[in-house]
Amino acid sequence: MLGVTDLPTYLAGLVLIVLLPGPNSLYVLSVAARKGIRAGYTAAAGVWCGDTVLMTLSAAGVASLLQANALLFGIVKYAGAGYLTWLAVGMLRAAWQMWRTRRDRTDVVEAPAAPVAGERPFRRAFVVSLFNPKAILFFVAFFVQFVDPGYAYPALSFVVLGAFAQLASFLYLTALIFSGTKLAAAFRRRKRLSAGATTAAGALFLGFAVKLTLASA
């Protein structure tokens, strides 16, 4: 089908990949819990755009360049880890503020995320998605297995595979967005719960950053 081989296997692997937790899905969930469905989809759009860029770069062979150039890979890797660490610090600071004001019922409680002034969910989600060299390498290693090398239009094959990937991501993030809005009420009622969840989110982002620094090309 349009140069795509073994589509059922690709779809099965894609479902498992999409369901794996990561900074993208965690950030979309946190935005939806704090700001509602519309903001959640704004963040999700940033993820989809970032993934599209990664897929395009993978199809163009940029990921292979990263894999072959250790210096370039290291620059991208540490830049991504630094950004994730910055987000984690923001979350932990927010959690501390929530804990300090946990007995003040007049404060507004927020769900896990880095609640800074002027936050732009689309841009932040886009950068989180884009600065992931392991994802670039993964897209190349995964996609090329399902593209028929003898097909005359390989770009079309990548488009088909990418469309399925984006559809799976859309369904998964939609489920997270609506789950996040339901969690929001509980976070607003219980400041200790909100502070604890924010701390956990910050710790997870730190873990993502550490994992990224240990990644190899």
Side-chain angles (χ1 to χ4, degrees), residues 29 33 52 67 99 127 133 155 198 214:
L29 176 63
T52 299
Q67 193 172 16
W99 180 257
V127 175
T198 304
L214 298 177

Side-chain angles (χ1 to χ4, degrees), residues 169-181:
S169 178
F170 172 81
L171 295 175
Y172 178 58
L173 292 182
T174 293
L176 290 182
I177 288 170
F178 282 93
S179 298
T181 56

Side-chain angles (χ1 to χ4, degrees), residues 88-181:
V89 171
M91 292 178 185
L92 295 175
R93 291 177 60 187
W96 173 243
Q97 183 64 27
M98 291 175 190
W99 180 257
R100 289 179 58 189
T101 60
R102 63 189 181 279
R103 293 187 178 87
D104 186 355
R105 296 185 178 181
T106 62
D107 287 346
V108 177
V109 178
E110 295 183 337
V116 296
E119 178 184 3
R120 298 180 180 179
F122 176 88
R123 185 176 65 179
R124 182 162 294 182
F126 178 78
V127 175
V128 169
S129 178
L130 193 60
F131 277 101
N132 193 346
K134 290 294 289 185
I136 298 176
L137 300 179
F138 167 77
F139 279 130
V140 164
F142 190 66
F143 277 17
V144 295
Q145 297 180 41
F146 302 94
V147 175
D148 183 359
Y151 188 64
Y153 307 100
L156 183 58
S157 303
F158 280 100
V159 170
V160 172
L161 294 174
F164 278 115
Q166 293 290 45
L167 176 60
S169 178
F170 172 81
L171 295 175
Y172 178 58
L173 292 182
T174 293
L176 290 182
I177 288 170
F178 282 93
S179 298
T181 56

Side-chain angles (χ1 to χ4, degrees), residues 84-85 88 200-214:
L84 292 177
T85 300
L204 283 174
F205 267 76
L206 280 178
F208 292 137
V210 171
K211 183 177 180 180
L212 186 55
T213 59
L214 298 177

